[in-house]
Amino acid sequence: MSLERIMKLRKTKAVQIGALLIIGAILAGCANSSSAANMKHGSVSISNLQSTINAIVAERIETNTMPENGLTGENLVRAQLRLKIISFLLHRGASEKGIVINPAEVAANREKIITQIGGEAALPAALANASIAASDLDRYIEDIIIQDSLRAKLVAPTASDQDFSMALQKYVSEIGARENVKLNPRYGVWVTETSDINPVDATNGTVADPAK
């Protein structure tokens, strides 16, 4: 391996480790509350969010993989929190619509994904590139299954993908409204209409992200 390549890898790791330290500072700043988000029928704990973020950054470091336009720092934290909330809302929707997740279907979809990426050995890099923690993969697959199952519940068989996307967004936002999603204010404000987070500076300007 050339010296230039070694130095490039070291720089990449240094940036990723620096981003991990920043993320730790962001999450530690919320130590006065155990929840990153609260809903009527559930919550997302800071420890759960921390575990996911740590796993994603570790995957990037171990595989020397950084997604194109990959998020770091508070942007990564906020994006993962949003995904966890949407996953919760999708599962609430599945319960409302009588959709049952079959573990065998999850396992089959997992095997299909592994085959598509070229085998189990390619999984860590693929997860790093997709910013998915290995521990969250089955939940991610469940979310996809729910979305596919909701199509028949929300739109006509002749509906376009765009029509379904709009119907799904509307349905998820309606569930979010009923669940009264509230964020730890350090992360921002939940926007029910778009199922998104209106961000705030989670470090209050005290920490600079070396990846920027």
Side-chain angles (χ1 to χ4, degrees):
M1 183 181 292
S2 69
L3 178 60
E4 181 181 2
R5 174 63 174 164
I6 292 172
M7 294 303 293
K8 183 176 180 181
L9 290 177
R10 285 181 177 176
K11 181 178 180 182
T12 299
K13 287 189 176 183
V15 168
Q16 292 170 338
I17 292 171
L20 178 57
L21 294 174
I22 289 170
I23 290 166
I26 292 167
L27 292 167
C30 299
N32 61 326
S33 172
S34 63
S35 296
N38 286 292
M39 289 75 74
K40 184 177 180 181
H41 292 97
S43 65
V44 177
S45 69
I46 289 176
S47 61
N48 177 269
L49 181 59
Q50 174 82 70
S51 178
T52 290
I53 297 299
N54 287 352
I56 290 171
V57 175
E59 287 167 355
R60 292 176 178 180
I61 294 172
E62 291 169 5
T63 62
N64 291 314
T65 302
M66 184 65 182
E68 185 177 355
N69 301 319
L71 300 177
T72 59
E74 68 268 20
N75 292 321
L76 177 60
V77 173
R78 192 164 53 246
Q80 290 300 316
L81 176 57
R82 177 178 183 258
L83 289 175
K84 287 180 178 295
I85 294 170
I86 289 177
S87 176
F88 170 84
L89 298 178
L90 283 171
H91 277 72
R92 288 295 300 173
S95 179
E96 289 181 1
K97 296 293 186 180
I99 296 170
V100 178
I101 303 297
N102 185 339
E105 186 177 2
V106 174
N109 275 270
R110 183 188 180 95
E111 287 303 313
K112 183 178 180 180
I113 290 171
I114 290 173
T115 299
Q116 288 175 340
I117 63 176
E120 191 79 37
L123 185 59
L127 291 173
N129 196 52
S131 294
I132 298 174
S135 58
D136 291 340
L137 179 56
D138 283 357
R139 180 77 175 196
Y140 170 79
I141 293 171
E142 289 177 3
D143 292 345
I144 293 175
I145 292 172
I146 290 171
Q147 288 183 61
D148 290 344
S149 300
L150 281 172
R151 182 166 191 139
K153 307 282 187 178
L154 299 178
V155 295
T158 55
S160 66
D161 289 343
Q162 183 178 5
D163 288 340
F164 170 60
S165 179
M166 293 174 62
L168 181 63
Q169 171 60 52
K170 182 175 181 292
Y171 183 54
V172 170
S173 68
E174 289 171 351
I175 300 171
R178 293 196 295 273
E179 286 295 319
N180 193 26
V181 179
K182 298 292 184 184
L183 303 186
N184 184 311
R186 299 278 298 194
Y187 298 116
V189 177
W190 183 255
V191 182
T192 301
E193 293 76 14
T194 58
S195 300
D196 204 351
I197 296 174
N198 186 19
V200 295
D201 178 5
T203 69
N204 292 324
T206 61
V207 180
D209 188 342
K212 292 181 179 179

